[in-house]
Amino acid sequence: MSTLEIIILALLQGLTEFLPISSSAHLILPSQILGWQDQGLAFDVAVHVGTLLAVMSYFRKELGVMSVAWLGTINIGPEKNKHSFDGKLAWWILFATIPAGLFGLLGKDFIEEHLRSALVIAATTLLFGFLLGYADIKAGHRKEHKPLDKLGLKGAMLIGLAQAIALIPGTSRSGITMTIGLMLGLSRDNAARFSFLLSIPAIAMAGSYLTLKLVLSTEAVDWQAIGLGSLIAFVSAYACIHYFLILLNKLGMMPFVIYRLILGAGLLWFVLA
């Protein structure tokens, strides 16, 4: 990979991992449209590490509180944390991660072989873009929003099932999880925050799987590319999370919905032309 390709692909990963516009679609498209070679396992590991460190760094205080509270629920931590909301939230996130893990384990080969085409990406970009727009309009008209502590395990599992569907390229993990969160009555801010927290074990699982594949493969590792890719993905992802949460309540989801519809229509034209 050239330095330019590393910079562009790492920026795409960092900026699109947490925006509701599909990071996998934007990473697949350069090879589909520009004819770029596949970035390889090592680079995939690098950008996953960068985005994982970014979201964990941004939510480091919440993760610290949740970790202590979770330990309390299994009688390892302070007793006062045994029934806290943060402990429950940690369990919700752990349980909600299971569907994506199972779907990824059982369906990864089928997805790799049949669902990484530009046509599939165009279709999912449009379909889930419309759903995000519908959910955002409903949320904007809602007078009161459900607080996050009222989401419950059932609601968390529904969002987790949506995250599993996002393994299909073009769906957008953050997009579909925020969509379901909004449909369940959460505010835009809480839907986004739960989506970001839920991304941590999901990205960690994907990164671990790719790392294992890299260790077992004979692929040569370009450590300079890994370092540069990780750094760019980290900085761009951290900035993306920060400014997205600031602008979300002012702008809503509609700018991303419009972008998805334009992108999906353009891809459909490209495929069918």
Side-chain angles (χ1 to χ4, degrees):
M1 294 174 63
S2 68
T3 301
L4 179 61
E5 289 178 61
I6 293 171
I7 293 173
I8 291 175
L9 291 174
L11 277 173
L12 283 175
Q13 174 71 30
L15 293 175
T16 61
E17 178 67 44
F18 300 107
L19 295 179
I21 55 176
S22 179
S23 62
S24 59
H26 286 78
L27 289 175
I28 291 171
L29 289 178
S31 62
Q32 294 277 338
I33 297 177
L34 302 177
W36 288 3
Q37 292 183 348
D38 184 86
Q39 56 264 33
L41 279 173
F43 186 78
D44 282 343
V45 171
V47 293
H48 275 82
V49 168
T51 52
L52 178 61
L53 291 177
V55 68
M56 290 183 68
S57 297
Y58 192 86
F59 290 102
R60 59 191 179 278
K61 293 181 181 178
E62 290 89 339
L63 290 175
V65 173
M66 288 168 56
S67 298
V68 172
W70 180 79
L71 291 175
T73 67
I74 54 177
N75 296 321
I76 296 178
E79 184 67 22
K80 65 181 180 179
N81 291 320
K82 189 171 182 179
H83 302 292
S84 71
F85 166 65
D86 293 298
K88 292 179 182 179
L89 180 60
W91 278 114
W92 294 350
I93 289 172
L94 289 174
F95 280 120
T97 302
I98 294 174
L102 290 176
F103 189 41
L105 183 64
L106 299 176
K108 63 181 184 301
D109 292 335
F110 180 83
I111 293 171
E112 290 289 332
E113 293 175 12
H114 302 287
L115 299 180
R116 292 177 69 86
S117 68
L119 180 59
V120 170
I121 294 172
T124 53
T125 297
L126 289 169
L127 172 61
F128 293 106
F130 278 118
L131 287 177
L132 177 62
Y134 172 78
D136 190 58
I137 291 172
K138 294 287 287 186
H141 291 162
R142 196 176 291 123
K143 293 182 179 180
E144 294 184 1
H145 295 96
K146 181 187 297 183
L148 190 55
D149 60 355
K150 299 299 182 182
L151 177 64
L153 179 59
K154 180 180 178 180
M157 291 301 296
L158 287 173
I159 297 175
L161 288 170
Q163 180 172 249
I165 296 173
L167 291 170
I168 301 172
T171 302
S172 172
R173 192 211 61 80
S174 59
I176 193 171
T177 52
M178 291 180 200
T179 296
I180 301 303
L182 292 173
M183 288 183 174
L184 290 173
L186 295 179
S187 66
R188 293 177 179 125
D189 184 72
N190 279 335
R193 288 180 179 274
F194 187 82
S195 172
F196 292 156
L197 290 172
L198 187 60
S199 76
I200 293 173
I203 297 173
M205 284 194 306
S208 298
Y209 170 72
L210 291 171
T211 301
L212 179 62
K213 286 184 66 177
L214 178 62
V215 170
L216 297 176
S217 75
T218 58
E219 179 180 317
V221 177
D222 184 344
W223 293 106
Q224 184 177 358
I226 284 182
L228 181 59
S230 295
L231 177 62
I232 293 174
F234 171 84
V235 173
S236 57
Y238 192 97
C240 177
I241 295 170
H242 179 71
Y243 289 108
F244 178 77
L245 290 174
I246 290 176
L247 297 173
L248 180 59
N249 287 323
K250 296 179 181 179
L251 302 178
M253 299 289 186
M254 292 313 295
F256 305 103
V257 172
I258 294 170
Y259 173 81
R260 287 185 68 128
L261 297 182
I262 294 173
L263 176 63
L267 283 173
L268 202 59
W269 175 85
F270 174 80
V271 172
L272 300 177

